[in-house]
Amino acid sequence: MAIVKKSPEQIEQMAAAGEVLVKTMNLLASKIRPGVTTLELDQAAERFIRSQGCEPAFKGYRGFPGSICASPNSMVVHGIPGSYTLERGDILSIDIGVVRQGWVADAARTFAVGPISPIAQRLLTVTEEALHRAVPQCVAGNHLGDIGHAIERYVEHEQGFSVVRTLVGHGIGRDMHEDPQVPNYGKARSGVLLEEGMVLAVEPMVTVGTRDVRLAADQWSIFSADGTLAAHFEFTIAITGDGPRVLTPWHEADGGGRVAA
Ligand code: MG
């Protein structure tokens, strides 16, 4: 396993990709409503990403046909955008990858389509909170297992939902998927020592029911095996000398984050 560390200048490049990603996420947030198809969201995202001189990282990745992944309800990840029409009460996970000048940013967020059920709302709140709890673990001197441990402990032991085991986060940089793998479960103080310059895509995937998933007939979409709701939240996070830096800060109201020099 070879972990490619990034210089501060390279992290600025990745932050610039992340800035375009956040704007894309905000654009989709403004378009998500009942009656909209996931293909319409995909086309809006692709148009915007290309207008910024960037490329959608997922398009053509191992043959994936979409520019984004759009995964409703019990679909966990990797949904192919298409004719699915959003309905009031749905939840929809949107995963976006942006390549800017050879550097990749990756992030995801699950949206409510209109008012949703109390259990769906709790799933979104818990999964997003799990991601936020993972961020402060991304510091030099910690171990990889500290990240997964923080997520697993909160989601499973404190909230009673399940963390998907067979899909994990990853290192990211010039390639979308670099070493190391970043599980959303694990033992504290175990695994690779985290060092300044590492950049990780941390992405808890959480289900209301059991942790098992199944691959759909399209060979891409992954559903919760028991058909219960699933949520997915993701940041690209750099481990810097100043602590963790979220390079895809879609949670900031202004869509800002630090601007690349
Ligand atoms: Mg990812």
Side-chain angles (χ1 to χ4, degrees), residues 66-108:
S67 290
I68 61 170
C69 298
S71 309
N73 299 323
S74 65
M75 198 188 289
V76 185
V77 286
H78 301 168
I80 299 172
S83 58
Y84 184 84
T85 305
L86 298 180
E87 288 182 28
R88 184 182 157 95
D90 280 351
I91 59 173
L92 178 69
S93 298
I94 296 285
D95 196 347
I96 304 174
V98 168
V99 188
R100 182 183 176 274
Q101 296 179 9
W103 293 96
V104 189
D106 187 4

Side-chain angles (χ1 to χ4, degrees), residues 58 95 106-107 168-170 172 176-177 201-203 232 234 236:
F58 302 163
D95 196 347
D106 187 4
V168 296
H170 48 92
I172 183 168
M176 184 159 61
H177 295 132
V202 178
E203 48 180 321
H232 178 212
E234 177 180 24
T236 294

Side-chain angles (χ1 to χ4, degrees), residues 5 21 25 35 56 71 76 85 116 119 127 157-158 167 173 184 203 208 223 229 240:
K5 289 193 259 180
L21 193 158
M25 191 68 85
S71 309
V76 185
T85 305
I116 57 176
I119 188 74
T127 310
H157 305 191
E158 295 182 28
L167 299 154
N184 299 300
E203 48 180 321
V208 166
F223 289 85
L229 293 173
T240 79

Side-chain angles (χ1 to χ4, degrees), residues 135-188:
V135 172
Q137 301 299 326
C138 297
V139 289
N142 258 8
H143 291 77
L144 197 61
D146 292 315
I147 299 171
H149 179 72
I151 294 169
E152 178 188 349
R153 189 185 52 198
Y154 174 67
V155 170
E156 297 198 340
H157 305 191
E158 295 182 28
Q159 299 296 329
F161 290 145
S162 294
V163 170
V164 172
R165 294 297 197 276
T166 53
L167 299 154
V168 296
H170 48 92
I172 183 168
R174 287 195 181 277
D175 289 316
M176 184 159 61
H177 295 132
E178 298 185 355
D179 286 333
Q181 293 199 339
V182 183
N184 299 300
Y185 55 91
K187 278 179 61 174

